[in-house]
Amino acid sequence: MNIKLLLKSLCLSAVIFSTVSCKEEKATLGNAAPELAAYDLQGKQVSLKGWQGTRLLTFWSETCGHCMAELKTFEQLDEAYPNKVQLIAINVDGENMDTKAVVAKHQLTQSVIKDQMKITSERYQLVGTPTSFIIDDKGYIQAKFEGKIPQQELDKLFKK
């Protein structure tokens, strides 16, 4: 067996193994939230378990004006009602966008992570931004919002 054939076989085996070993996860109301397949802005892999309590998971893009405004609203509510909700902002702009620069420009202080490979977006069945999920302290999805979250829902979440 020549070396090229051996390398091709090994690569094919690795791809098949990784495909088979990744279980299909989909975000569904009332069920456990799928694990994140994303990285923080320092390049460290993150896990949903890294945030305790109620979590507000928001998918956003810098080119989405509603997203940027909503992220600022979340931060204002977090300042007014601290420790009620863990904010997790998942950027879906891809690897060509300098997310660190965007965060600095908009002075975002919440946890920002990147979904460079779009695996998390796929698991959460993202259609567009902003899309947000409320995940309870046990890790179950309680609500999904496509578009901006209505103010009365935000009030219930932060002021409860």
Side-chain angles (χ1 to χ4, degrees):
M1 184 184 261
N2 71 28
I3 194 77
K4 283 186 178 180
L5 185 58
L6 179 62
L7 285 174
K8 283 182 181 179
S9 296
L10 286 173
C11 288
L12 183 59
S13 296
V15 168
I16 291 170
F17 176 74
S18 66
T19 303
V20 171
S21 65
C22 289
K23 66 179 182 180
E24 182 87 8
E25 293 186 80
K26 296 288 182 194
T28 309
L29 287 178
N31 289 336
E35 187 51 75
L36 304 176
Y39 296 85
D40 65 17
L41 297 184
Q42 289 69 45
K44 182 180 168 211
Q45 188 167 1
V46 296
S47 170
L48 196 53
K49 295 174 182 95
W51 291 274
Q52 299 299 311
T54 300
R55 290 152 280 187
L56 175 56
L57 192 70
T58 301
F59 291 87
W60 66 281
S61 170
E62 184 198 17
T63 58
C64 167
H66 288 298
C67 298
M68 302 312 297
E70 192 170 52
L71 289 174
K72 284 310 233 179
T73 298
F74 295 161
E75 289 190 347
Q76 291 166 353
L77 285 165
D78 188 51
E79 283 180 29
Y81 305 95
N83 305 317
K84 291 281 188 181
V85 179
Q86 298 294 312
L87 303 175
I88 308 166
I90 303 178
N91 180 270
V92 296
D93 288 325
E95 60 188 45
N96 294 330
M97 181 65 68
D98 185 355
T99 306
K100 284 184 185 179
V102 173
V103 168
K105 174 183 168 187
H106 294 280
Q107 301 175 346
L108 298 176
T109 59
Q110 61 199 278
S111 298
V112 175
I113 60 178
K114 287 190 68 84
D115 184 23
Q116 288 177 286
M117 295 173 43
K118 308 289 187 220
I119 295 170
T120 302
S121 299
E122 187 176 306
R123 288 177 180 171
Y124 283 82
Q125 302 170 61
L126 186 69
V127 175
T129 58
T131 297
S132 301
F133 294 83
I134 297 172
I135 301 169
D136 69 15
D137 59 345
K138 292 177 179 55
Y140 290 88
I141 298 173
Q142 299 302 310
K144 176 181 180 180
F145 300 94
E146 292 180 335
K148 288 179 71 174
I149 300 175
Q151 187 61 47
Q152 67 269 22
E153 294 295 328
L154 286 174
D155 289 344
K156 281 196 290 189
L157 182 62
F158 283 91
K159 298 177 183 180
K160 60 182 177 179

